[in-house]
């Protein structure tokens, strides 16, 4: 008999942020939003209610998923605050800029005025902020690392107080941006599972299965339950 899946409210962030310097230039990164969009579509197909917060991408909005667009980290923060109470599961795949220009020039900065000095200020760590008030919500983060992927992801899992982190490596040989396949490390507590050359579709299924299980466990703290 097919196991009945519980329906959840799932909030997913995806894609890059853009931190504008002037009206036509910004600081950003090469995130394409693929894994967040695949997660959103898979979560919807499983019968969940899904809200996708998306940075600028070229991807088509997933069918049946409420999609809200953002540009900057501060806009993303406003969106996550808006949907926080509604969500049971929050999956943050967005590549959020850690810094933004302190001031956005309202006119194009001209090159003949000499080299501009762009002062940066820190963006809030959105996921960390959500985790501070998480209660029994399931919070999942992503970490893209250029070295020591497991150690660095573990550190983020702990410092951000997450239930699960998905670590992956960016190296000369492996650039995950926009690819359909990657090598990922799923880390919960002290438990690390490596998934080599897995498709993003399959990875999304595994993450959503874990999220389901974690949700069940967190909602029944007295009963506990086996994690794996
Ligand atoms: O950038 P970092 O490696 O710390 O990102 C890890 C996780 O934290 C990701 O899930 C990302 O979406 C989230 N994050 C965030 N706000 C930031 C930086 C990262 O929510 N300012």
């Amino acid at each position: 008999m097919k196991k009945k899946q519980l329906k959840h409210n799932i909030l997913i962030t995806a894609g890059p942020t853009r931190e504008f310097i002037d009206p036509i230039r910004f600081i950003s990164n090469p995130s394409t939003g693929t894994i967040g969009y695949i997660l959103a579509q898979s979560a919807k197909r499983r019968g969940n209610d899904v809200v996708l917060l998306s940075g600028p991408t070229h991807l088509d909005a997933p069918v049946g998923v409420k999609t809200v667009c953002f540009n900057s980290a501060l806009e993303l923060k406003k969106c996550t605050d808006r949907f926080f109470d509604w969500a049971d599961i929050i999956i943050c795949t967005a590549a959020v800029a850690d810094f933004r220009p302190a001031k956005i020039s309202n006119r194009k900065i001209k090159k003949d005025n000499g080299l501009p000095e762009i002062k940066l200020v820190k963006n809030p760590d959105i996921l960390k902020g959500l985790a501070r008030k998480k209660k029994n919500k399931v919070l999942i983060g992503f970490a893209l690392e250029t070295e020591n992927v497991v150690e660095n992801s573990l550190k983020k899992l702990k410092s951000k107080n997450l239930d699960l982190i998905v670590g992956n490596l960016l190296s000369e040989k492996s650039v995950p941006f926009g690819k359909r396949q990657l090598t990922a490390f799923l880390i919960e507590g002290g438990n690390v599972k490596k998934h080599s050359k897995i498709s993003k579709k399959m990875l999304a299924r595994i993450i959503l299965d874990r999220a389901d299980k974690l949700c069940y466990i967190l909602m029944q703290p007295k009963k506990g339950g086996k994690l794996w």
Side-chain angles (χ1 to χ4, degrees):
M1 202 170 64
K2 211 177 165 200
K3 215 176 99 194
K4 196 169 178 280
Q5 215 124 36
L6 279 177
K7 186 176 150 186
H8 301 295
N9 290 346
I10 306 186
L11 180 65
I12 298 171
T13 75
T17 55
R18 283 181 179 174
E19 306 297 342
F20 275 87
I21 298 166
D22 68 15
I24 51 174
R25 301 183 184 102
F26 53 79
I27 299 170
S28 192
N29 60 69
S31 167
T32 59
T34 312
I35 187 68
Y37 273 61
I38 293 175
L39 274 163
Q41 192 68 84
S42 316
K44 182 69 199 170
R45 285 205 186 111
R46 289 171 173 229
N48 299 290
D49 281 334
V50 184
V51 172
L52 173 66
L53 306 179
S54 175
T57 78
H58 296 292
L59 302 171
D60 293 329
V63 181
V65 171
K66 181 180 169 73
T67 303
V68 180
C69 296
F70 63 84
N71 266 310
S72 66
L74 292 183
E75 283 173 24
L76 172 59
K77 184 174 181 312
K78 265 194 199 156
C79 295
T80 54
D81 288 345
R82 179 175 153 208
F83 290 102
F84 180 79
D85 286 339
W86 167 86
D88 315 312
I89 297 171
I90 303 176
I91 309 177
C92 292
T93 75
V96 184
D98 290 320
F99 307 100
R100 67 177 185 276
K103 202 177 113 237
I104 305 174
S105 167
N106 49 18
R107 291 192 186 170
K108 183 179 177 185
I109 299 171
K110 297 303 237 178
K111 56 179 168 283
D112 17 306
N113 295 342
L115 263 188
E117 282 206 0
I118 299 166
K119 188 174 172 241
L120 298 176
V121 291
K122 237 180 152 187
N123 270 331
D125 189 318
I126 298 164
L127 184 49
K128 204 170 185 170
L130 299 177
R132 270 191 212 112
K133 50 181 183 178
K134 83 188 267 303
K135 293 192 181 139
N136 58 359
K137 294 179 195 294
V138 172
L139 254 70
I140 299 176
F142 273 65
L144 180 59
E145 302 292 335
T146 52
E147 60 209 337
N148 304 331
V149 61
V150 172
E151 292 89 322
N152 288 332
S153 304
L154 255 169
K155 261 189 218 157
K156 284 179 189 173
L157 177 83
K158 286 186 189 142
S159 70
K160 297 190 194 230
N161 188 27
L162 307 177
D163 299 294
L164 166 67
I165 196 156
V166 183
N168 55 84
L169 186 70
L170 186 145
S171 67
E172 269 174 36
K173 283 191 212 146
S174 143
V175 182
F177 298 122
K179 299 266 168 64
R180 309 302 294 182
Q181 240 191 14
L182 78 171
T183 293
F185 297 84
L186 261 68
I187 307 176
E188 276 176 51
N191 201 320
V192 181
K193 276 205 171 178
K194 183 178 181 185
H195 298 271
S196 297
K197 292 193 179 155
I198 187 173
S199 73
K200 287 186 178 174
K201 258 192 176 163
M202 181 57 81
L203 181 64
R205 272 168 59 182
I206 295 170
I207 293 168
L208 291 170
D209 283 346
R210 293 307 302 155
D212 249 347
K213 181 99 185 181
L214 285 164
C215 219
Y216 176 77
I217 291 165
L218 288 177
M219 280 175 178
Q220 306 185 47
K222 279 184 196 128
K223 276 192 192 163
K226 222 171 164 302
L227 265 172
W228 292 92

